[in-house]
Amino acid sequence: MEYQRLGDYIREVNVRNSELKVTNLLGLSIEKKFIPSIANTIGTDMSVYKIVRPMQFAYVPVTSRNGDKITIALYKGDESAIISQAYTIFDVNDKEALLPEYLMMWFRRPEFDRYARFHSHGSAREVFDWDELCNVMLPIPSIARQREIVEEYETLSRRIRLNEQMIARLKETAQALYRKMFVDGIDKENLPEGWRRGRLGEIAEITSGKTCVDKSDTKNEMYQYPVAGASGIIGYSTAFNQNEALMTTGRVGTLGIVNRYNEKLYTADNVLVIKTAYYEYCFQVLNSIDYAEITKGGVQSLITQTDLKQVKIAIPPKQAINEFEEHAKKLFGLITNKQRENEKLTELQSLLLARMGK
């Protein structure tokens, strides 16, 4: 299939919010999505902001210090929104020649990110400008074939979204069961029979992670073991220091995020590692802690092993914990299956994107 010049199919759009009729302010993420803006707009002249309409694109020309990705997205909202004047907005000239959804698939390809970075230029900051975008070459099959490709991709996306919704509901169910059994109606000053006051360290082993000196941002044959940081997986290592079910929570900086693992991985030095025979119960306890009450430090918030071990908790009878463990394990077993299915679906999406260039 012959490649076509993108500039022959798109045009730049520059409509300002001069009448202040549009108030929905959005931003863009490196995940190539429109997101609610968190910018402080107090005292800002919103009339200079650009209006983006449904099925139009916006992108950030600056690519330096952007995780080797170009921030670009297709707006699928129902009503017009406004974005920063620093963004470039464009749309497709003829949607019977090029589907916006098909073009967005091309923009999602890792190869496009690499292309945009390579063709960016500048001194203080590198920019992938409008002329460079117009010079992008891509295969544009018949509109019927474009619709087929987009439908294949969207079918996978819908399945992923349904799984994500199911995962959220299962997590909510586990949390609701925990609250019903151990929180609602429990007077901490007058505990029920068989309960006792204790500390988290009595039912969990808590240690610190280690500095990972051999880490890559991407997974490959050498770097195959995930590196668990405070916010989740932060890279991959050639070695692992854990090989059993455990949880992590941030030790410094990012606090309050509790992650679950049951594989060979490397726990980094900015996390606390929690292991316990009461895995599901402790997971819920860790998510109910007010970390702001136990943090220390000046510039950065800090939690030590001792801090977490000394957190006061009400410990119910083992029989009640075991009953909860049995139910929660089933729920999180379903969650794991859905997460693995989404990993496979995401791989299929990547393969579909890769085939677009062939």
Side-chain angles (χ1 to χ4, degrees):
M1 183 185 303
E2 292 187 5
Y3 277 52
Q4 307 293 325
R5 180 177 176 271
L6 180 57
D8 296 334
Y9 293 84
I10 61 174
R11 62 190 172 196
E12 186 175 359
V13 178
N14 187 358
V15 179
R16 303 292 173 135
N17 190 33
S18 56
E19 297 181 4
L20 300 176
K21 290 184 177 180
V22 183
T23 58
N24 182 23
L25 177 61
L26 300 177
L28 298 180
S29 72
I30 61 172
E31 285 77 27
K32 304 187 190 299
K33 296 178 181 178
F34 279 87
I35 57 174
S37 175
I38 58 174
N40 182 0
T41 59
I42 297 176
T44 302
D45 180 7
M46 306 304 289
S47 67
V48 299
Y49 275 55
K50 294 182 178 180
I51 295 177
V52 57
R53 295 190 169 89
M55 304 310 291
Q56 289 183 337
F57 293 85
Y59 86 100
V60 182
V62 178
T63 61
S64 51
R65 298 183 299 278
N66 203 36
D68 290 330
K69 292 185 177 182
I70 181 168
T71 303
I72 190 167
L74 173 64
Y75 181 54
K76 292 187 176 182
D78 296 325
E79 298 180 353
S80 296
I82 52 174
I83 60 175
S84 168
Q85 61 269 37
Y87 297 158
T88 299
I89 300 175
F90 63 95
D91 62 14
V92 174
N93 299 330
D94 182 359
K95 295 180 177 58
E96 288 300 315
L98 175 62
L99 287 178
E101 298 92 340
Y102 176 85
L103 179 57
M104 189 61 225
M105 286 180 63
W106 186 263
F107 291 151
R108 289 193 183 100
R109 303 174 79 240
E111 293 83 356
F112 177 73
D113 286 321
R114 290 193 288 270
Y115 176 93
R117 284 292 293 128
F118 182 79
H119 288 272
S120 298
H121 49 81
S123 53
R125 57 180 186 172
E126 296 178 351
V127 173
F128 185 67
D129 61 27
W130 174 251
D131 290 337
E132 292 291 353
L133 179 65
C134 288
N135 287 329
V136 167
M137 303 293 290
L138 75 160
I140 301 180
S142 68
I143 197 69
R145 180 56 185 151
Q146 289 181 49
R147 290 192 178 104
E148 290 176 1
I149 294 172
V150 169
E151 180 57 29
E152 288 181 58
Y153 190 89
E154 289 302 321
T155 297
L156 296 172
S157 296
R158 286 192 294 271
R159 185 62 179 270
I160 290 172
R161 287 194 296 270
L162 287 172
N163 284 343
E164 288 174 344
Q165 292 169 8
M166 178 63 74
I167 289 169
R169 287 196 293 269
L170 290 168
K171 288 181 177 179
E172 290 170 0
T173 300
Q175 186 182 46
L177 180 61
Y178 167 78
R179 292 194 60 85
K180 180 180 179 181
M181 293 182 66
F182 306 115
V183 178
D184 297 340
I186 302 298
D187 184 353
K188 293 182 179 180
E189 299 302 322
N190 298 283
L191 293 174
E193 183 178 354
W195 288 57
R196 65 183 179 87
R197 295 182 180 85
R199 300 183 186 276
L200 184 57
E202 295 180 47
I203 61 172
E205 174 191 342
I206 301 171
T207 59
S208 295
K210 306 292 183 181
T211 301
C212 185
V213 296
D214 189 16
K215 184 173 75 70
S216 170
D217 291 335
T218 56
K219 186 177 183 179
N220 53 51
E221 291 183 0
M222 287 185 59
Y223 295 87
Q224 56 180 305
Y225 301 110
V227 178
S231 58
I233 301 303
I234 58 173
Y236 298 87
S237 176
T238 58
F240 62 91
N241 60 2
Q242 306 289 346
N243 187 22
E244 60 185 298
L246 57 86
M247 289 165 277
T248 64
T249 189
R251 183 181 66 81
V252 60
T254 302
L255 306 178
I257 299 176
V258 183
N259 290 302
R260 304 161 58 102
Y261 302 102
N262 190 9
E263 60 184 314
K264 291 180 180 179
L265 78 160
Y266 200 104
T267 47
D269 59 343
N270 65 339
V271 300
L272 293 174
V273 181
I274 302 96
K275 300 176 184 179
T276 174
Y278 303 123
Y279 191 93
E280 303 299 342
Y281 177 75
C282 279
F283 178 73
Q284 299 296 335
V285 171
L286 288 165
N287 276 295
S288 65
I289 291 174
D290 184 355
Y291 290 89
E293 290 187 357
I294 58 175
T295 55
K296 297 179 180 179
V299 178
Q300 280 189 311
S301 298
L302 172 68
I303 299 178
T304 67
Q305 296 179 40
T306 302
D307 291 331
L308 201 55
K309 289 177 182 178
Q310 294 301 315
V311 169
K312 296 178 181 179
I313 61 173
I315 302 177
K318 289 184 179 180
Q319 181 179 354
I321 297 179
N322 289 333
E323 181 183 348
F324 175 76
E325 289 287 312
E326 181 180 352
H327 292 297
K329 282 179 180 177
K330 293 177 181 178
L331 293 171
F332 276 93
L334 293 173
I335 289 172
T336 299
N337 290 338
K338 292 297 180 182
Q339 290 172 334
R340 288 174 179 169
E341 183 179 340
N342 274 3
E343 290 174 3
K344 296 298 182 183
L345 292 170
T346 302
E347 289 176 8
L348 289 174
Q349 283 186 317
S350 298
L351 289 173
L352 186 58
L353 294 178
R355 289 206 303 267
M356 292 178 69
K358 297 180 180 179

